[in-house]
Structures are given as structure tokens and as C-alpha cells.
Amino acid sequence: MKGSDVSPSFRLVYAPGVMPGKWVRVWNERLPGVPLTLAQVPAAETGGLLLAGDADAGLVRLPVDRTVLSAIPLYTEQTVVVVPKDHLVTAVDEVSPEDLADEIVLHPLDDVLAWETLPGRPALERPATTADAVELVAAGIGVLVVPLSLARLHHRKDLTHRPLKDAPESSVALAWPEAATTDLVEDFIGIVRGRTVNSTRGRTQPRDSAQEKQKKQDKPRRTADKGAARQQAAGGPAGRGQRRGTGGAPKKKGAGGTPKNPRRGKPRRGS
């Protein structure tokens, strides 16, 4: 099949916890003829998929390799600690790393926070995934520190979370291969940045066809021709001394430069 016969589509990958729904809705409204396919993948795999050409763009967690990927930071998430609902830290509105000194703090292999020193005490083994770590928290084996979106993604009725201050945070960005900034990528950039449909930034709007251009060029001419025809039908173009819309020649003036009075000089009746 020829490349020109293939319908365009846009492939977007996103890391767990990232919610692309609002941007997808705008895309479907603006580009209904271009399907957008979504795939949630582990945060560590998003960059590789973009470079391999398996996706056009991705909602990723920073950092990414800026030498090969372009990235637009979107927002930074709050970091929280996930604990059982009856845990002592639920008595406060905000937790500090010192409050977790005696706790086993689980550190899953897919953690997205760049820790220099993890608070609390380490577990004997690192859970394979954040989902596995949440199960261990529910079993009372430890607590878990994650971005807020991941705490919501893995929400359980028997668990809750509290903000953790003085902890690393996770930032989300829109990324794409630097060498593959396509028109569709520009379209999605515009949507993510909140640009309107008529914005002059980003991707340019489709150019008018030659026929449409000719119509636009001919429109002023047709309008001018119609105006000239109306003036001609009314007695020629309006000039000085002629009232517009009256038609005919200008009224003649008398000897003083003023219009003649048709009643002046006629005898009155009965005189």
C-alpha cells in the first residue's frame, strides 16, 4: 500500500498516573478525521518507544534524554505517603521525612522519584511494581511514597495518603523525538498548551485551494462591479453638487449661484 493511501493517525503513549483525557477530547473535536490511539506504558519505557518510532508523542515523567527528545514540561506533582487508614500519620495534615524514621518505606523498582536518601528503613526486598508495593502497604508491611496521581491510580478503601514535605517531586512533560516534529505533533502541542483553533502559532492551517484563492480574489471585483452597475443605473457616478441616490444631473443654479425658485416671479391669484 502506498504511503499516500494510508490514513493519518496519531499515537500517544503515557506513563501511569498521567491523565490525557482532557487533551484527547479536544483532539477528537478538532481533528475528527485523525484517530488518536492511546497506550499506557511503564514510565521507564516511554522514551524508548518514542525513539523506536512506536509512538508520535508521549506524556512522560522527567527527566528524559534532551539530546534526542524534545520536551515541554507541563506540571509538577505533589508527593504523598500512602498508609493504612488507621496509621498514626493520618492524625496530621502533612508528614515530614522525620515522621517516617521508624517506618519501613517501600521502594518499588518502577519508582519515579529521584531519591538521594530514602526516608525510614528499607524493606528486605524491593517490590517489582508500585501496584505490588500498594498491596504490601495494605498488608501492614510498610508505607509507600509516590506522586499524588499514582496514589489515586492505586486507590483502595483501606488506604489513604498524606502530603510529604521536603521530598523529591515528579514532573510530567510532553515529549517527542526531536527529529520527528510532524504537523500532527504540532497540533497536539497546540492543544496541550491551550491554543485556540485559530491560533497562528504551531501548525499552520491548511492552505486554501487555487479555486478558493481565486474566489477570494474575485469577490472584491464582483462587489465593485455591482456598485458601478448600481451607480450607472442611477444616472452615473455621484459627483460634487449631486445628491446621492437622486439620479439625473445636478440641479441648475440661478444667477447668484443659488437654485432657482419656481414660484418666484409668478403673479398671485386674485391680484
Side-chain angles (χ1 to χ4, degrees):
M1 182 179 293
K2 295 181 180 180
S4 59
D5 296 332
V6 178
S7 299
S9 63
F10 189 71
R11 299 162 298 173
L12 180 72
V13 294
Y14 63 99
V18 180
M19 305 298 290
K22 59 181 179 181
W23 297 312
V24 173
R25 286 193 294 272
V26 176
W27 176 280
N28 291 334
E29 292 171 359
R30 293 188 185 179
L31 294 97
V34 182
L36 187 154
T37 58
L38 290 170
Q40 179 179 290
V41 298
E45 298 180 11
T46 52
L49 291 173
L50 292 173
L51 293 176
D54 294 328
D56 298 294
L59 296 170
V60 305
R61 292 189 181 274
L62 296 178
V64 295
D65 188 352
R66 294 295 187 97
T67 63
V68 290
L69 292 176
S70 297
I72 301 174
L74 300 177
Y75 58 88
T76 298
E77 289 196 64
Q78 184 181 55
T79 301
V80 300
V81 55
V82 179
V83 297
K85 280 193 171 180
D86 57 357
H87 197 281
L88 290 176
V89 301
T90 59
V92 298
D93 295 330
E94 188 178 52
V95 181
S96 68
E98 291 74 20
D99 296 329
L100 304 178
D102 296 329
E103 300 289 340
I104 294 177
V105 179
L106 302 167
H107 190 202
L109 294 175
D110 63 354
D111 185 22
V112 296
L113 298 173
W115 290 99
E116 291 185 2
T117 303
L118 196 69
R121 298 183 293 128
L124 295 177
E125 294 183 4
R126 294 183 63 179
T129 66
T130 298
D132 293 335
V134 169
E135 294 294 330
L136 294 175
V137 174
I141 294 177
V143 300
L144 175 65
V145 179
V146 291
L148 178 59
S149 66
L150 289 179
R152 290 172 173 169
L153 178 65
H154 299 287
H155 172 72
R156 290 174 52 117
K157 292 183 179 179
D158 53 348
L159 300 180
T160 188
H161 58 266
R162 290 291 184 272
L164 179 64
K165 62 181 181 180
D166 300 327
E169 297 175 320
S170 176
S171 296
V172 174
L174 172 64
W176 66 96
E178 186 173 355
T181 307
T182 64
D183 284 346
L184 292 179
V185 169
E186 290 287 1
D187 285 332
F188 196 76
I189 291 172
I191 289 172
V192 169
R193 284 187 161 175
R195 297 174 190 159
T196 62
V197 177
N198 297 323
S199 173
T200 57
R201 299 185 62 188
R203 180 184 178 185
T204 56
Q205 296 298 318
R207 297 179 179 177
D208 294 333
S209 65
Q211 186 176 3
E212 291 174 341
K213 285 184 177 180
Q214 189 63 41
K215 286 181 180 180
K216 290 182 178 180
Q217 293 174 356
D218 291 344
K219 185 176 180 180
R221 297 176 185 173
R222 292 196 299 269
T223 303
D225 292 343
K226 289 180 180 179
R230 286 196 297 268
Q231 291 177 357
Q232 187 175 2
R240 289 184 179 180
Q242 177 185 5
R243 296 180 183 177
R244 294 182 180 271
T246 58
K251 291 184 177 181
K252 295 182 180 179
K253 296 182 179 180
T258 57
K260 293 182 178 181
N261 189 339
R263 299 180 59 86
R264 184 174 297 176
K266 291 184 179 182
R268 297 181 180 179
R269 294 180 181 180
S271 58

mmCIF file of all heavy atoms in Angstrom, residues 218-234:
data_model
loop_
_atom_site.group_PDB
_atom_site.id
_atom_site.type_symbol
_atom_site.label_atom_id
_atom_site.label_comp_id
_atom_site.label_asym_id
_atom_site.label_seq_id
_atom_site.Cartn_x
_atom_site.Cartn_y
_atom_site.Cartn_z
ATOM 1 N N ASP A 218 -11.635 37.295 -6.594
ATOM 2 C CA ASP A 218 -12.699 37.806 -7.448
ATOM 3 C C ASP A 218 -13.795 38.515 -6.666
ATOM 4 O O ASP A 218 -14.523 39.348 -7.219
ATOM 5 C CB ASP A 218 -13.324 36.668 -8.266
ATOM 6 C CG ASP A 218 -12.355 36.129 -9.315
ATOM 7 O OD1 ASP A 218 -11.362 36.825 -9.594
ATOM 8 O OD2 ASP A 218 -12.596 35.016 -9.826
ATOM 9 N N LYS A 219 -13.928 38.221 -5.388
ATOM 10 C CA LYS A 219 -15.029 38.781 -4.602
ATOM 11 C C LYS A 219 -14.998 40.300 -4.560
ATOM 12 O O LYS A 219 -16.023 40.949 -4.796
ATOM 13 C CB LYS A 219 -15.007 38.196 -3.191
ATOM 14 C CG LYS A 219 -16.200 38.632 -2.350
ATOM 15 C CD LYS A 219 -16.188 37.942 -0.994
ATOM 16 C CE LYS A 219 -17.387 38.379 -0.169
ATOM 17 N NZ LYS A 219 -17.398 37.725 1.160
ATOM 18 N N PRO A 220 -13.839 40.944 -4.279
ATOM 19 C CA PRO A 220 -13.837 42.420 -4.305
ATOM 20 C C PRO A 220 -14.188 42.977 -5.676
ATOM 21 O O PRO A 220 -14.843 44.008 -5.795
ATOM 22 C CB PRO A 220 -12.398 42.777 -3.910
ATOM 23 C CG PRO A 220 -11.885 41.562 -3.194
ATOM 24 C CD PRO A 220 -12.555 40.405 -3.863
ATOM 25 N N ARG A 221 -13.752 42.270 -6.742
ATOM 26 C CA ARG A 221 -14.062 42.749 -8.080
ATOM 27 C C ARG A 221 -15.561 42.703 -8.341
ATOM 28 O O ARG A 221 -16.138 43.629 -8.888
ATOM 29 C CB ARG A 221 -13.333 41.903 -9.123
ATOM 30 C CG ARG A 221 -11.811 41.991 -9.037
ATOM 31 C CD ARG A 221 -11.182 41.056 -10.044
ATOM 32 N NE ARG A 221 -9.733 41.013 -9.917
ATOM 33 C CZ ARG A 221 -8.958 40.172 -10.592
ATOM 34 N NH1 ARG A 221 -9.515 39.326 -11.457
ATOM 35 N NH2 ARG A 221 -7.646 40.180 -10.409
ATOM 36 N N ARG A 222 -16.176 41.566 -7.960
ATOM 37 C CA ARG A 222 -17.625 41.428 -8.177
ATOM 38 C C ARG A 222 -18.370 42.495 -7.397
ATOM 39 O O ARG A 222 -19.356 43.068 -7.868
ATOM 40 C CB ARG A 222 -18.083 40.036 -7.787
ATOM 41 C CG ARG A 222 -17.563 38.938 -8.705
ATOM 42 C CD ARG A 222 -18.359 37.649 -8.489
ATOM 43 N NE ARG A 222 -18.228 37.164 -7.130
ATOM 44 C CZ ARG A 222 -17.285 36.299 -6.766
ATOM 45 N NH1 ARG A 222 -16.389 35.860 -7.644
ATOM 46 N NH2 ARG A 222 -17.234 35.877 -5.517
ATOM 47 N N THR A 223 -17.916 42.758 -6.175
ATOM 48 C CA THR A 223 -18.577 43.778 -5.354
ATOM 49 C C THR A 223 -18.452 45.151 -5.997
ATOM 50 O O THR A 223 -19.409 45.929 -6.053
ATOM 51 C CB THR A 223 -17.951 43.807 -3.959
ATOM 52 O OG1 THR A 223 -18.051 42.511 -3.378
ATOM 53 C CG2 THR A 223 -18.662 44.803 -3.066
ATOM 54 N N ALA A 224 -17.246 45.454 -6.518
ATOM 55 C CA ALA A 224 -17.035 46.751 -7.181
ATOM 56 C C ALA A 224 -17.879 46.856 -8.442
ATOM 57 O O ALA A 224 -18.451 47.907 -8.732
ATOM 58 C CB ALA A 224 -15.554 46.932 -7.501
ATOM 59 N N ASP A 225 -17.971 45.757 -9.222
ATOM 60 C CA ASP A 225 -18.759 45.777 -10.454
ATOM 61 C C ASP A 225 -20.235 46.017 -10.164
ATOM 62 O O ASP A 225 -20.912 46.761 -10.879
ATOM 63 C CB ASP A 225 -18.580 44.461 -11.213
ATOM 64 C CG ASP A 225 -17.159 44.310 -11.769
ATOM 65 O OD1 ASP A 225 -16.444 45.337 -11.845
ATOM 66 O OD2 ASP A 225 -16.785 43.171 -12.104
ATOM 67 N N LYS A 226 -20.732 45.380 -9.088
ATOM 68 C CA LYS A 226 -22.141 45.582 -8.734
ATOM 69 C C LYS A 226 -22.384 47.027 -8.326
ATOM 70 O O LYS A 226 -23.395 47.626 -8.659
ATOM 71 C CB LYS A 226 -22.520 44.632 -7.593
ATOM 72 C CG LYS A 226 -22.602 43.174 -8.009
ATOM 73 C CD LYS A 226 -22.989 42.300 -6.823
ATOM 74 C CE LYS A 226 -23.073 40.835 -7.241
ATOM 75 N NZ LYS A 226 -23.419 39.968 -6.092
ATOM 76 N N GLY A 227 -21.427 47.606 -7.585
ATOM 77 C CA GLY A 227 -21.589 49.000 -7.170
ATOM 78 C C GLY A 227 -21.592 49.941 -8.358
ATOM 79 O O GLY A 227 -22.379 50.889 -8.425
ATOM 80 N N ALA A 228 -20.702 49.662 -9.325
ATOM 81 C CA ALA A 228 -20.659 50.507 -10.525
ATOM 82 C C ALA A 228 -21.952 50.395 -11.319
ATOM 83 O O ALA A 228 -22.455 51.390 -11.871
ATOM 84 C CB ALA A 228 -19.454 50.114 -11.384
ATOM 85 N N ALA A 229 -22.491 49.190 -11.410
ATOM 86 C CA ALA A 229 -23.738 48.991 -12.160
ATOM 87 C C ALA A 229 -24.881 49.754 -11.511
ATOM 88 O O ALA A 229 -25.707 50.359 -12.186
ATOM 89 C CB ALA A 229 -24.057 47.501 -12.234
ATOM 90 N N ARG A 230 -24.930 49.743 -10.168
ATOM 91 C CA ARG A 230 -26.000 50.477 -9.485
ATOM 92 C C ARG A 230 -25.872 51.976 -9.731
ATOM 93 O O ARG A 230 -26.864 52.678 -9.931
ATOM 94 C CB ARG A 230 -25.957 50.169 -7.986
ATOM 95 C CG ARG A 230 -26.476 48.766 -7.639
ATOM 96 C CD ARG A 230 -26.775 48.660 -6.149
ATOM 97 N NE ARG A 230 -25.561 48.835 -5.357
ATOM 98 C CZ ARG A 230 -24.790 47.820 -4.970
ATOM 99 N NH1 ARG A 230 -25.118 46.577 -5.312
ATOM 100 N NH2 ARG A 230 -23.715 48.036 -4.242
ATOM 101 N N GLN A 231 -24.620 52.478 -9.704
ATOM 102 C CA GLN A 231 -24.424 53.907 -9.938
ATOM 103 C C GLN A 231 -24.820 54.298 -11.366
ATOM 104 O O GLN A 231 -25.409 55.337 -11.601
ATOM 105 C CB GLN A 231 -22.962 54.274 -9.689
ATOM 106 C CG GLN A 231 -22.570 54.181 -8.208
ATOM 107 C CD GLN A 231 -21.105 54.474 -7.997
ATOM 108 O OE1 GLN A 231 -20.378 54.686 -8.960
ATOM 109 N NE2 GLN A 231 -20.690 54.478 -6.742
ATOM 110 N N GLN A 232 -24.459 53.409 -12.322
ATOM 111 C CA GLN A 232 -24.797 53.706 -13.713
ATOM 112 C C GLN A 232 -26.303 53.724 -13.924
ATOM 113 O O GLN A 232 -26.844 54.558 -14.640
ATOM 114 C CB GLN A 232 -24.146 52.688 -14.635
ATOM 115 C CG GLN A 232 -24.315 53.013 -16.119
ATOM 116 C CD GLN A 232 -23.558 52.044 -16.991
ATOM 117 O OE1 GLN A 232 -22.944 51.114 -16.489
ATOM 118 N NE2 GLN A 232 -23.588 52.277 -18.285
ATOM 119 N N ALA A 233 -27.004 52.788 -13.281
ATOM 120 C CA ALA A 233 -28.455 52.744 -13.407
ATOM 121 C C ALA A 233 -29.106 53.967 -12.788
ATOM 122 O O ALA A 233 -30.179 54.403 -13.196
ATOM 123 C CB ALA A 233 -28.995 51.471 -12.747
ATOM 124 N N ALA A 234 -28.410 54.549 -11.796
ATOM 125 C CA ALA A 234 -28.977 55.720 -11.129
ATOM 126 C C ALA A 234 -28.598 57.015 -11.825
ATOM 127 O O ALA A 234 -28.888 58.094 -11.342
ATOM 128 C CB ALA A 234 -28.505 55.763 -9.677
#
